[in-house]
Amino acid sequence: MSQAGSSQFQEVIRQELEYSMKVELDKILATANSNEIEHTKKDLEGFKKLFHRFLQEKGPSVDWGKIQRPPEDSIQPYEKIKARGLPDNIASDLNKLVVVKLNGGLGTSMGCKGPKSLIGVRNENTFLDLTVQQIEHLNKSYNTDVPLVLMNSFNTDDDTKKILQKYSHSRVKIYTFNQSRYPRINKETLLPIAKDVSYSGENTECWYPPGHGDIYASFYNSGLLDNLIAEGKEYIFVSNIDNLGATVDLYILNHLMNPPNGKRCEFVMEVTNKTRADVKGGTLTQYENKLRLVEIAQVPKAHVDEFKSVSKFKIFNTNNLWIALSAIKRLQEKNAIDMEIIVNPKTLDGGLNVIQLETAVGAAIKSFENSLGINVPRSRFLPVKTTSDLLLVMSNLYSLNAGSLTMSEKREFPTVPLVKLGSSFTKVQDYLRRFESIPDMLELDHLTVSGDVTFGKNVSLKGTVIIIANHGDRIDIPAGALLENKIVSGNLRILDH
C-alpha cells in the first residue's frame, strides 16, 4: 500500500474508533440522573478530547535530536533567590497565595484503605494534619489568610470531606474540588469497559482519575479559580500531599511577586539534583526554545540510558510548582494548555487489560510565558511513597515544628540514609508491628532489611546495616541493641521466658 493510501486507511480507522467511542459514551451518559448529568457530561467531554489526541499521536512524543540542556539563566540556584532577602511587606504577598495539595491518591500501595493523606506519619499526625498545621502557623505568624485547596478524586472525596470537620476551628480556610472521572478503556477494543455512570461496587474498576495534569481543567470548571481571583489571589503553590518537604517558601514567593527584572514568571518549577535513586524522575530541558518537562515514558527506547544519566541530566522535577492564576484562566479559556499523554496500562483483578490516559501537571510548563526552574535543596523533596520512606520521617533524623519536618542538627551530614525494607514491611500495619519503637538512625548510612525481622525498643543503627532472615527463619533484634556496620543473617529468636 502506498504511504498516502496507508495514512488514509489509518485516518478511516481513527474516525471509526472516535465514532464508536462517542456512541459508547452517549450510552453511559444516558444512564446519569439529573444530579449527575452536568458534571458527567463535562468529564466525558474532557475524556473525548484526550482520546482524540491519543489517536493522533504515534510513538514517543519527543524528537530526541531537539532536546538541549536548558540555558543557564532558565534554572536559578535557590541560594541566589534566598540571597535577595525578604521585603517588609511579605505578608501582603502571602495574602495573594493559595496552597493547593494534590489529594487524589489512595494508600493502597502501603496497604491502607482510603485516602493516602489520612495515613499517620509522625506522632499520630497525618499528611493532612501536617499541611493544615503548616499553613495555620503561617497565617498566625504573619496575620494572613492563605487558604488550602485540596484536589480530591472520586476515590478520596467522601473520606476527606468527613475528616475536614475536625479543622473547622483552625485558622485556615479549606476548599476542595474534584478531579475528573474518566472511563478506563479495553486495551484491545479501545472502548470503555463501563456500561453506566455508577462507580460503586464492581464498577469501581471502570473509572480512574486522569493524573494531576487534570488540575487546570477541573480547577477552572469548579468555579473555584474565578472565586479566588476575585478575592485578589494571584499564585497557587501546588505539590503532592505526600511530599513533606513541600512547605510555603517565602523567598520563592518574593521572587514571583517582586521579580528582579520586573517581569513576572507565570510558572516556576522546583527542581533538585538527581541522585542514583532519582534516575526515573522527569527532567527540565530546552525544546524548541521553551522549557519543557521530559518524562521517562516519552523517551525513545534507544535513549533511555542517556536520559537516566546523572551527568547529562543533573536535575529532576519535585512537582512543587508555583503558577499564576490569571495565566491558568487565560490558557484554559483558549484551550491552549498542551500536555503530553501518558498511557498507563493496568490489569484488572479479573485479568482484563485496560489502559488509562493521563497527563502530568508539570508538563504544561511549555504553555506558560516566562517559565523558570529553581534548583532547590533536597530537603524540599521528602516524599513518602513506601514504608521505607515512612521509617525515615518517623525517626530522630527529623524534628517536627509547626507541621514542618527539618533534618536534625545532630546529624553530621545532610544526606538522607538509603533505607530498603523488604516485602514483610510493605503494609503500614505490618511495618508498625515489626518496630516496637523507631530505631535511633542519626548515624545511619544504609539499611537493608529482608525477610521476617522484628526490632525491639531503643535499637541503634549506625553506618551500614544489612539484616537478612532467610525463608523460614526469623530474626528478632533485641531491645537496646547497637548495630554498627553489621551484617546479620540466619536465625535469631528471642522468646519471653
Side-chain angles (χ1 to χ4, degrees):
M1 197 187 284
S2 72
Q3 207 169 355
S6 161
S7 62
Q8 268 178 321
F9 177 65
Q10 284 173 338
E11 185 54 39
V12 169
I13 287 180
R14 261 205 301 268
Q15 286 174 359
E16 281 180 6
L17 281 167
E18 288 208 49
Y19 178 74
S20 307
M21 175 62 80
K22 182 185 180 308
V23 170
E24 290 300 311
L25 294 179
D26 286 347
K27 282 185 199 166
I28 292 171
L29 188 60
T31 68
N33 64 34
S34 55
N35 297 335
E36 301 167 315
I37 194 143
E38 203 47 50
H39 64 86
T40 305
K41 199 172 175 181
K42 270 185 181 165
D43 285 352
L44 296 182
E45 282 300 323
F47 176 74
K48 226 183 284 182
K49 281 184 193 163
L50 196 59
F51 185 69
H52 173 78
R53 283 181 43 220
F54 162 69
L55 293 177
Q56 303 290 334
E57 288 181 9
K58 292 188 273 307
S61 50
V62 290
D63 174 350
W64 193 254
K66 291 183 180 175
I67 285 182
Q68 296 169 313
R69 277 194 186 166
E72 285 298 306
D73 59 347
S74 66
I75 298 180
Q76 298 271 345
Y78 176 77
E79 293 66 35
K80 187 176 168 187
I81 278 160
K82 191 175 179 179
R84 292 181 62 206
L86 293 175
D88 295 339
N89 66 338
I90 193 70
S92 73
D93 290 340
L94 260 175
N95 271 326
K96 294 171 186 163
L97 182 71
V98 177
V99 174
V100 179
K101 292 285 180 184
L102 304 171
N103 185 45
L106 293 166
T108 35
S109 63
M110 292 168 79
C112 294
K113 282 197 165 82
K116 186 172 182 185
S117 56
L118 306 185
I119 295 175
V121 279
R122 182 86 188 208
N123 312 353
E124 307 295 308
N125 287 304
T126 65
F127 291 104
L128 189 53
D129 291 336
L130 295 176
T131 301
V132 173
Q133 287 167 26
Q134 287 163 18
I135 302 174
E136 184 168 45
H137 177 68
L138 257 181
N139 283 336
K140 284 179 174 169
S141 305
Y142 292 92
N143 193 22
T144 50
D145 177 23
V146 177
L148 169 64
V149 172
L150 299 172
M151 179 166 87
N152 298 338
S153 67
F154 65 91
N155 288 322
T156 61
D157 192 48
D158 287 349
D159 290 337
T160 302
K161 280 184 173 151
K162 279 179 203 151
I163 218 89
L164 288 182
Q165 292 159 6
K166 82 181 217 191
Y167 308 115
S168 54
H169 298 297
S170 69
R171 194 171 159 178
V172 183
K173 282 187 195 148
I174 304 178
Y175 304 98
T176 65
F177 68 93
N178 261 1
Q179 255 179 292
S180 309
R181 175 166 72 96
Y182 283 1
R184 283 179 166 153
I185 54 181
N186 184 315
K187 194 179 175 186
E188 302 304 319
T189 64
L190 296 185
L191 290 174
I193 58 171
K195 295 291 170 248
D196 57 52
V197 292
S198 69
Y199 54 93
S200 52
E202 58 197 43
N203 269 352
T204 37
E205 287 201 318
C206 299
W207 301 90
Y208 71 99
H212 40 55
D214 185 51
I215 185 172
Y216 305 106
S218 47
F219 192 21
Y220 178 83
N221 289 338
S222 71
L224 192 52
L225 177 75
D226 281 334
N227 294 351
L228 291 166
I229 290 173
E231 284 177 24
K233 305 296 183 193
E234 294 179 17
Y235 279 95
I236 52 173
F237 170 50
V238 185
S239 63
N240 298 350
I241 197 150
D242 63 7
N243 177 8
L244 295 176
T247 56
V248 171
D249 186 282
L250 298 178
Y251 299 103
I252 295 176
L253 178 68
N254 178 43
H255 189 84
L256 286 168
M257 293 295 191
N258 313 297
N261 63 359
K263 193 177 174 197
R264 279 194 175 187
C265 296
E266 289 189 345
F267 195 111
V268 164
M269 176 181 285
E270 294 185 35
V271 296
T272 194
N273 292 343
K274 265 188 193 178
T275 66
R276 299 258 169 241
D278 313 305
V279 290
K280 291 183 177 175
T283 192
L284 265 189
T285 62
Q286 176 87 346
Y287 193 90
E288 296 176 339
N289 294 324
K290 283 267 192 178
L291 271 185
R292 175 159 174 170
L293 179 68
V294 175
E295 301 281 359
I296 194 161
Q298 296 163 250
V299 176
K301 279 202 168 54
H303 297 283
V304 165
D305 287 343
E306 196 182 335
F307 174 84
K308 288 179 173 178
S309 115
V310 178
S311 54
K312 179 159 184 181
F313 297 106
K314 295 183 164 61
I315 49 147
F316 72 97
N317 167 27
T318 63
N319 223 33
N320 300 348
L321 309 168
W322 304 72
I323 313 170
L325 288 169
S326 57
I328 296 175
K329 182 176 165 69
R330 181 188 80 238
L331 291 169
Q332 194 55 39
E333 287 174 350
K334 284 188 189 163
N335 199 14
I337 295 182
D338 177 21
M339 294 172 282
E340 291 75 31
I341 295 173
I342 300 159
V343 179
N344 190 353
K346 299 263 178 190
T347 302
L348 302 186
D349 289 345
L352 181 68
N353 289 324
V354 296
I355 54 177
Q356 46 191 56
L357 306 178
E358 302 176 4
T359 55
V361 56
I365 187 168
K366 63 179 183 293
S367 302
F368 289 81
E369 294 300 315
N370 208 23
S371 303
L372 181 70
I374 296 180
N375 191 338
V376 296
R378 180 74 186 202
S379 56
R380 291 192 57 72
F381 184 68
L382 185 57
V384 180
K385 302 288 182 197
T386 61
T387 48
S388 302
D389 300 330
L390 198 54
L391 181 63
L392 290 168
V393 300
M394 282 184 158
S395 75
N396 59 347
L397 284 166
Y398 292 95
S399 52
L400 179 66
N401 181 17
S404 298
L405 288 183
T406 44
M407 182 154 310
S408 166
E409 290 174 1
K410 293 178 187 159
R411 183 162 172 89
E412 287 179 14
F413 22 85
T415 55
V416 179
L418 194 60
V419 171
K420 291 179 184 166
L421 299 178
S423 55
S424 309
F425 291 80
T426 303
K427 293 182 173 178
V428 172
Q429 64 223 62
D430 294 342
Y431 152 87
L432 291 171
R433 198 170 38 87
R434 291 178 177 277
F435 287 99
E436 272 194 59
S437 70
I438 302 295
D440 169 1
M441 292 166 43
L442 275 177
E443 294 177 43
L444 179 70
D445 297 322
H446 179 148
L447 172 67
T448 294
V449 183
S450 175
D452 185 0
V453 178
T454 65
F455 291 79
K457 278 201 163 88
N458 305 325
V459 171
S460 253
L461 305 171
K462 299 184 178 188
T464 295
V465 178
I466 297 169
I467 305 168
I468 296 172
N470 294 325
H471 187 68
D473 289 345
R474 174 164 153 186
I475 295 177
D476 296 327
I477 302 297
L482 162 61
L483 298 178
E484 183 167 6
N485 297 323
K486 291 280 183 287
I487 296 176
V488 182
S489 65
N491 199 355
L492 175 63
R493 296 293 306 265
I494 296 179
L495 301 170
D496 285 335
H497 181 54

